[in-house]
Amino acid sequence: MSERHGRILIAKAGLDGHDRGAKLVVVALRDAGLEVVYSGLHRLPDEIVKIALEEDVSVIGLSILSGAHQRIVARLQDLLRVAGAPEVTLVVGGFIPAEDVDELLRLGVSAVFGQQTKLDDIVDYMRRTIDATGRTADARR
Amino acid sequence: MRDDDLEQQAASWRKTHEQALTKPRAIAFSTDSGIPVKELYTPLDLAARGFDYRDDLGFPGEFPFTRGADVTGYRDKIYGIGQYAGFATARDTNRLFKKLIAEGQDSIHVACDLPTNMGYDIDHPLAEGEIGRVGLTISSLADMEEFLDGIDLRRIGVTYVVNPIAPVILAMHIAVARKQGVPLDLLTGCVQNDVMKEYTACGKYIFPPRQAVRLSADIIEYVTEKMPRFYANNIALYHLGEAGADQVQQVAFALAAAIEYCDAVTQRGLPIDRFARNIAFLGYVNHRDLLCEVAKIRAMRRLWAELMKTRYGATLPESMTLKMHCAQGGICLTAGEGLLNFGRITLAALVAALAGVQSLGLRTIDEPYGIPSEEASIISIRIARMVAQETGAMDTIDPLGGSYYVESMTAEIKSRVEDKLAVIEKMGGIVAAIESGYISTEISNSAYAFQTALEGGGKVLLGYRRDAENPYRSPNQNSYYVPSADIARQCRERLEALRRTRDDGGVQRALRRLRAAAEAPASPNLVEPILEAVEAYATMGEICGVLRQVLGEYRMPTVV
């Protein structure tokens, strides 16, 4: 079961092509022994949700620097609900103006990481989230 | 003094001061590229490399151009100033650049939004939420006309940082020039037409790499013939550096891309001396490793000259000189302690001045927070001018030439770049190196090494771990540009109005001709048929849509 509930999808949505940060996070998570999928660039929200379901991930880490974060996050949350997978944790990283962070949290994002966040802190957060998801899944069983 | 005497003296100096020298403040000194830095450089270091003034440096404006592309350096004029900027609408961007020009900007360097860059009309699903976010929306020639309204294209050069859509943007620029009655041979500026780095560093690609090279060669061919003062490309170190490539990788990957484009054009039978002068580079400067940044650009000047001369048999000096607009990196600015960025911006301008680049664009003080405001762009223009006119760094040509350290680094970077170019050559060139994942992996590894060094304390970037709300916050922190909330609606209405009023039959005919040309087995130059479509007011999405259907699309794989 820990295999089933341990994967992370790092996703790039929309037209934003800057993935230095996304790739850093992918490498850091892999180095820490976690299972990571990288979506590649320019995915539509429904493509991201499709990959998330196919790869059975418990966390989606959306990386976005273009400023289109609110639209894309809202769309992802809708699609996850429709797909019957609202338990998938959504975290956002990238270039998010301070005044938008609260709005993203209100939309149901569980954490927002910025340029000052340490890779180690992201790894810790992901590990805790995955452990919690695993426990929830066990309890449901 | 004979060198063996000096060697003896150096050894004795080291022995005498051994105790002091073994207490450095860092475990190891090295540049961000991992090149070790010794405590002292002397003539011995140059002698060890067989340094020869005539062969290695020569004189400004003469082969191998290490000391400068131009004979006069900055003695006749300072670097051009070209801040990169752009607001959502053509009207606002037009006003912005008129203001910046009035404040001392020499040429326009326009940022377009992502739907434009990717060749989508604004009603495409992928454009949702992206319209006008990071720059100007150009849906059709109508937007370009408004953007350039009242700007004298005889006097002001325009640089477009667009890549897969470069042929369309070039055609739009030509169409506006025609309407303004400006002969094409008077146009200055540049269209960035360097898609190779998009697959590995910036992500703005549409077509598969081979097709992208074809379009790139089409542009070079067209510009060389009709627009002799215009640059048909500015091959970028910039985006590579921002993605994480170190100094050696920046130069090597940009030169490897240049080789690809030049090969494609020479294979069409165009001699190198006909088109090399129309190729420029977009350099990358940072305050970090300041002296090595100067060395990097000096090394690249020489590498380009040698490449042109020996590989391509260029004979004209203008084919061998490196033309470079340099942009400061944003990666070294921090949101925390934002005031420090003033210092970083100033130092980057100093690097450009010491390196002798032809043109400079600095980052802005509000850029760690959002899209540069007009005010912040003006401050950067003034900083560029301050460095040029107050520091004296521009009063003599190549002021660091002959520095034991800078010459050692120039030679070291050059040799490391040559090694990397040999590796790429062996793989079959830049396209093969992209397709095999080599370039991406190299860049990612460098980015990761830098990040872990930063987080481990081995490298320092003050303020990057601090919250933007710390006591040393920038006064410009909240000045950045945000497009108005109904920008998407405004742009959509404009596009719908255009579709209603244009001659649709003419658009369809032009698009059919474009398709036929793109499909033709002889691979004719596509700039002319694209220009026809542009002049019929076909939209960006319609033109790129035809090209997508014929040339195919590149899709980055999902990595499990």
Side-chain angles (χ1 to χ4, degrees):
Chain A
M1 99 71 236
S2 64
E3 260 173 276
R4 225 180 106 72
H5 295 283
R7 309 187 91 186
I8 300 157
L9 170 64
I10 299 298
K12 290 293 299 184
L15 300 175
D16 173 20
H18 296 84
D19 63 352
R20 176 179 180 148
K23 285 176 177 164
L24 282 176
V25 171
V26 168
V27 178
L29 293 171
R30 251 180 219 156
D31 272 9
L34 297 167
E35 268 193 78
V36 199
V37 178
Y38 175 45
S39 71
L41 294 174
H42 308 150
R43 300 300 182 243
L44 284 163
D46 38 355
E47 290 176 309
I48 292 173
V49 169
K50 188 162 168 268
I51 300 170
L53 297 177
E54 277 171 8
E55 299 294 334
D56 198 18
V57 304
S58 40
V59 186
I60 298 175
L62 177 71
S63 161
I64 188 154
L65 290 88
S66 72
H69 40 270
Q70 271 149 332
R71 296 295 289 269
I72 289 170
V73 162
R75 190 90 189 95
L76 277 176
Q77 295 289 47
D78 282 351
L79 289 164
L80 284 170
R81 246 190 316 274
V82 171
E87 76 281 0
V88 174
T89 303
L90 184 60
V91 304
V92 175
F95 200 99
I96 312 294
E99 59 271 28
D100 291 357
V101 171
D102 286 346
E103 175 60 19
L104 291 185
L105 296 174
R106 244 195 317 279
L107 284 168
V109 167
S110 73
V112 178
F113 302 122
Q115 55 162 287
Q116 79 282 9
T117 312
K118 275 191 160 186
L119 289 173
D120 282 350
D121 294 342
I122 297 175
V123 171
D124 285 348
Y125 187 90
M126 293 292 193
R127 216 193 286 279
R128 281 202 310 275
T129 308
I130 287 163
D131 289 349
T133 324
R135 277 196 300 277
T136 319
D138 280 345
R140 270 208 303 268
R141 202 157 294 177
Chain B
M1 190 189 295
R2 289 203 340 271
D3 271 356
D4 42 350
D5 292 343
L6 188 60
E7 215 161 304
Q8 228 164 35
Q9 276 195 15
S12 129
W13 173 81
R14 204 170 304 274
K15 202 166 159 35
T16 314
H17 304 291
E18 202 175 354
Q19 257 200 322
L21 290 171
T22 49
K23 284 181 263 174
R25 67 182 153 78
I27 300 165
F29 291 86
S30 67
T31 70
D32 287 349
S33 302
I35 302 175
V37 179
K38 294 166 49 174
E39 75 263 326
L40 188 74
Y41 289 80
T42 69
L44 294 170
D45 294 282
L46 300 188
R49 293 178 185 273
F51 178 82
D52 178 274
Y53 182 85
R54 282 179 197 81
D55 291 348
D56 291 321
L57 302 186
F59 288 86
E62 290 181 9
F63 190 82
F65 301 98
T66 313
R67 303 208 66 183
D70 310 308
V71 175
T72 50
Y74 297 124
R75 298 279 286 197
D76 55 346
K77 59 176 190 300
I78 67 166
Y79 44 43
I81 300 173
Q83 286 298 119
Y84 180 58
F87 291 159
T89 64
R91 196 186 51 198
D92 291 350
T93 306
N94 175 277
R95 276 190 202 146
L96 168 71
F97 277 109
K98 282 180 177 162
K99 189 77 194 289
L100 298 186
I101 289 166
E103 294 287 346
Q105 172 137 345
D106 297 291
S107 55
I108 290 173
H109 291 245
V110 65
C112 293
D113 72 354
L114 289 173
T116 303
N117 264 297
M118 297 292 290
Y120 289 119
D121 279 340
I122 54 189
D123 41 11
H124 190 280
L126 272 166
E128 195 180 328
E130 308 268 20
I131 296 158
R133 282 271 176 208
V134 298
L136 169 64
T137 289
I138 301 175
S139 297
S140 76
L141 177 57
D143 294 321
M144 197 69 126
E145 287 164 358
E146 196 172 1
F147 157 51
L148 293 173
D149 181 49
I151 288 171
D152 180 3
L153 296 181
R154 280 185 187 79
R155 199 173 66 78
I156 300 291
V158 185
T159 290
Y160 298 94
V161 185
V162 291
N163 291 279
I165 59 158
V168 186
I169 291 289
L170 175 71
M172 287 181 176
H173 189 75
I174 292 169
V176 172
R178 280 181 176 174
K179 289 196 168 203
Q180 287 189 5
V182 181
L184 298 193
D185 58 3
L186 293 186
L187 292 176
T188 60
C190 180
V191 62
Q192 187 174 89
N193 174 28
D194 170 28
V195 188
M196 292 300 104
K197 55 90 172 65
E198 298 296 336
Y199 301 102
T200 57
C202 198
K204 293 196 286 269
Y205 45 73
I206 300 176
F207 313 108
R210 291 278 168 218
Q211 301 295 345
V213 173
R214 171 192 174 181
L215 289 174
S216 187
D218 282 359
I219 289 176
I220 295 171
E221 205 175 37
Y222 188 93
V223 166
T224 301
E225 193 192 326
K226 309 209 174 192
M227 306 161 75
R229 297 186 189 188
F230 200 82
Y231 289 118
N233 207 340
N234 65 352
I235 303 164
L237 283 69
Y238 179 85
H239 306 81
L240 296 164
E242 289 288 85
D246 67 28
Q247 291 165 329
V248 172
Q249 292 166 331
Q250 291 159 30
V251 178
F253 300 161
L255 287 177
I259 289 170
E260 188 68 37
Y261 305 132
C262 288
D263 283 354
V265 178
T266 51
Q267 276 159 21
R268 294 182 180 191
L270 211 61
I272 194 79
D273 280 330
R274 282 283 303 284
F275 71 89
R277 76 183 76 177
N278 291 90
I279 292 178
F281 287 84
L282 172 61
Y284 185 61
V285 282
N286 275 304
H287 71 289
R288 296 188 68 80
D289 289 340
L290 183 150
L291 295 170
C292 287
E293 286 287 79
V294 176
K296 172 183 83 180
I297 291 165
R298 296 174 85 246
M300 187 164 174
R301 271 203 295 266
R302 185 171 169 197
L303 281 159
W304 178 246
E306 289 180 357
L307 189 71
M308 285 295 107
K309 191 175 183 172
T310 54
R311 186 186 177 108
Y312 291 101
T315 56
L316 299 175
E318 56 264 42
S319 304
M320 299 179 221
T321 51
L322 184 80
K323 293 100 187 160
M324 187 180 265
H325 170 80
C326 241
Q328 181 190 6
I331 222 80
C332 299
L333 301 187
T334 55
E337 299 190 49
L339 280 172
L340 292 178
N341 296 325
F342 276 120
R344 295 177 176 129
I345 292 169
T346 308
L347 288 170
L350 183 63
V351 169
L354 294 172
V357 302
Q358 290 92 341
S359 171
L360 172 68
L362 295 169
R363 299 271 68 82
T364 62
I365 193 72
D366 55 1
E367 209 153 343
Y369 316 103
I371 299 302
S373 62
E374 177 185 297
E375 184 204 16
S377 293
I378 291 170
I379 296 171
S380 289
I381 291 171
R382 301 301 288 166
I383 290 176
R385 202 161 276 281
M386 177 193 75
V387 168
Q389 295 178 321
E390 296 182 12
T391 63
M394 288 189 170
D395 292 353
T396 187
I397 303 168
D398 188 30
L400 295 179
S403 148
Y404 307 123
Y405 176 55
V406 172
E407 294 302 356
S408 296
M409 279 298 170
T410 304
E412 181 64 28
I413 291 171
K414 177 173 184 277
S415 129
R416 288 182 182 224
V417 169
E418 284 167 336
D419 291 349
K420 219 162 261 298
L421 278 172
V423 170
I424 295 169
E425 185 92 37
K426 212 167 156 201
M427 287 177 178
I430 188 85
V431 173
I434 291 166
E435 287 172 346
S436 73
Y438 168 76
I439 306 274
S440 294
T441 308
E442 281 264 306
I443 296 173
S444 285
N445 288 346
S446 291
Y448 192 62
F450 180 72
Q451 188 68 23
T452 45
L454 203 56
E455 296 187 5
K459 296 279 175 196
V460 175
L461 186 61
L462 295 180
Y464 101 99
R465 289 293 326 273
R466 286 195 131 164
D467 196 273
E469 295 303 321
N470 67 64
Y472 313 107
R473 66 202 297 278
S474 161
N476 293 77
Q477 198 153 312
N478 298 315
S479 72
Y480 62 85
Y481 169 81
V482 182
S484 73
D486 70 339
I487 198 74
R489 186 188 54 78
Q490 285 176 39
C491 291
R492 199 164 295 129
E493 280 174 10
R494 252 178 88 80
L495 183 61
E496 278 162 11
L498 175 87
R499 284 181 177 144
R500 275 198 307 275
T501 51
R502 65 183 186 178
D503 167 19
D504 234 12
V507 172
Q508 296 314 322
R509 275 193 300 280
L511 290 175
R512 272 198 301 275
R513 274 196 294 271
L514 173 59
R515 178 185 297 274
E519 283 171 343
S523 299
N525 193 307
L526 294 180
V527 175
E528 202 64 57
I530 290 172
L531 181 55
E532 264 183 66
V534 158
E535 290 190 323
Y537 290 89
T539 65
M540 181 65 77
E542 288 166 340
I543 295 170
C544 291
V546 168
L547 294 175
R548 278 186 155 93
Q549 283 170 14
V550 181
L551 306 179
E553 286 186 72
Y554 179 83
R555 190 175 161 87
M556 188 192 272
T558 294
V559 188
V560 181

